[in-house]
Structure formats: C-alpha cells, structure tokens
Amino acid sequence: MTYLKTMADAQLVRLYKDGNPDALSTLIMRYKDRIYTSIYMLVKDKYTAEDIFQEVFIRVMSTIQKGKYKDEGKFLPWVLRIAHNLSVDHFRKAKRKPKIQMSDDRDIFEVLNFCEPSVEDDMVTLERHEMVKKMLDTLPKDQQEVIILRHFANLSFKEISELTNTSINTSLGRMRYGLINLRKMIVEQQIVL
C-alpha cells in the first residue's frame, strides 16, 4: 500500500475502478483533513460533519464504480463540491439556511497545528484563535464562507467560485471585504494577533 501514496489522484481513481479498494483508502487519507474541515466549518457540528463526510465518500465510491467520474485532474475540487452540496442539503432538509460559524467544542486550529508548542504558546494561541473565531462569526455569511474555504481548506479562488456557484470576481470581492472588515475589528478593538 506504500507505493500507492506516491501515485497521482487519477491513477488511484483508475485502480479503484479496477477493483483495488486500497486506492480509494489512499485518496481518503490524502484529503480527509481538508474535506472534513470544510464540512465541519459549514455545519458546525462534529457528528453531522462525520455523517456528511461518510456520505461524501459513499457518493464518490458510487460515482467511480458506475464509471460516471470524468477525470480532469480535479479530484479534490470534485469531492469538495460534493461535500459542499451535501452540507447545504443538510440545512435544506432541516428547513434552515446554512450558517458558517466556528464551534466552541473543538478548535479547528488544533487540527491544523502539526508542531508541539509550549503550554504558554498554547494558551496564547488559543486566546488568539478565540478572538479570530468571534470576529469571523460577526462577518456576513458569504464572506465567512470564502475566508474559511481559502484559509482552512486551502482552495484557490477558482475552486471557491466553482464550489459556491459564483464568479471568481465575486469570490475575490467577498474575500477582500471580509479581510477589510476583520482589519477594522482588529483596529477598533485594539487586538494584537
């Protein structure tokens, strides 16, 4: 299975389609953090995010097995699109509009932090992250979404525009206004990050 880790996404998809389940496992391991994080940031609930994450890969498996996946070198954006759509569907089923809010029970920065800082660094970092979360929560939802997808899921603006069904310029504008609003809050509240 180690040799699979060096293969391109397209090769792994072909192997999975040809009956190698380890190829899909490799793809899941390669992208699970980014996909789960993007879902979690949208639904704001650990258990719902886990359910949607599983549903995403059930859809991925089904689509590939049926031969409906068209490889255009865009496996991750395709999977993130499925994740985004299923997250939105979750809110439609609950007859609520989707909200992007930061959760208080788990800090997303802990998931993304790969080094082991000191206890003092942890406390300072946690305090800063809480401030950033509170500021993000006050932004309009469309600005929150773009900032989260860009900075937490590491998507390009082209991928964000495809995922949110907007133009690249709209995504860029939302990012720009979101950052302007965050800077204003930082200055007004005299926050040191």
Side-chain angles (χ1 to χ4, degrees), residues 17-182:
K17 187 177 177 187
D18 293 339
N20 184 339
D22 291 336
L24 183 65
S25 297
T26 302
L27 283 169
I28 292 171
M29 293 306 293
R30 186 176 288 174
Y31 296 119
K32 70 177 184 174
D33 289 340
R34 290 175 70 183
I35 295 165
Y36 178 82
T37 299
S38 67
I39 295 168
Y40 181 75
M41 298 300 283
L42 289 168
V43 300
K44 192 186 126 179
D45 179 72
K46 175 183 172 182
Y47 301 108
T48 303
E50 289 170 0
D51 289 344
I52 292 172
F53 181 82
Q54 289 177 2
E55 179 66 25
V56 166
F57 279 96
I58 289 170
R59 296 252 176 119
V60 167
M61 290 166 51
S62 174
T63 303
I64 293 171
Q65 288 172 346
K66 291 177 183 176
K68 293 182 179 180
Y69 174 70
K70 293 181 178 26
D71 181 27
E72 299 171 358
K74 297 181 178 182
F75 179 78
L76 179 61
W78 173 65
V79 175
L80 285 171
R81 179 71 163 170
I82 293 170
H84 182 268
N85 290 342
L86 288 174
S87 298
V88 171
D89 286 348
H90 163 74
F91 287 102
R92 285 187 185 139
K93 287 177 186 171
K95 295 184 180 179
R96 293 183 288 169
K97 292 184 178 179
K99 293 181 181 179
I100 301 171
Q101 295 179 348
M102 306 302 279
S103 175
D104 293 328
D105 60 322
R106 185 151 185 224
D107 187 351
I108 192 62
F109 295 101
E110 291 173 2
V111 174
L112 302 175
N113 190 4
F114 299 110
C115 61
E116 294 186 28
S118 69
V119 174
E120 294 84 16
D121 290 339
D122 282 344
M123 290 174 59
V124 170
T125 301
L126 183 62
E127 187 176 304
R128 287 179 182 161
H129 293 167
E130 289 300 317
M131 283 189 267
V132 170
K133 280 198 268 186
K134 286 178 184 173
M135 289 188 294
L136 270 174
D137 286 344
T138 64
L139 291 178
K141 301 303 177 206
D142 56 352
Q143 293 174 15
Q144 283 180 16
E145 183 176 37
V146 172
I147 290 172
I148 289 167
L149 291 173
R150 179 74 179 131
H151 289 288
F152 297 105
N154 294 321
L155 296 182
S156 69
F157 285 105
K158 182 179 181 196
E159 292 168 328
I160 292 169
S161 68
E162 290 171 359
L163 196 62
T164 58
N165 288 325
T166 59
S167 70
I168 292 176
N169 286 339
T170 300
S171 297
L172 287 167
R174 288 176 179 173
M175 174 64 88
R176 179 176 177 264
Y177 288 117
L179 293 175
I180 287 170
N181 289 333
L182 286 174

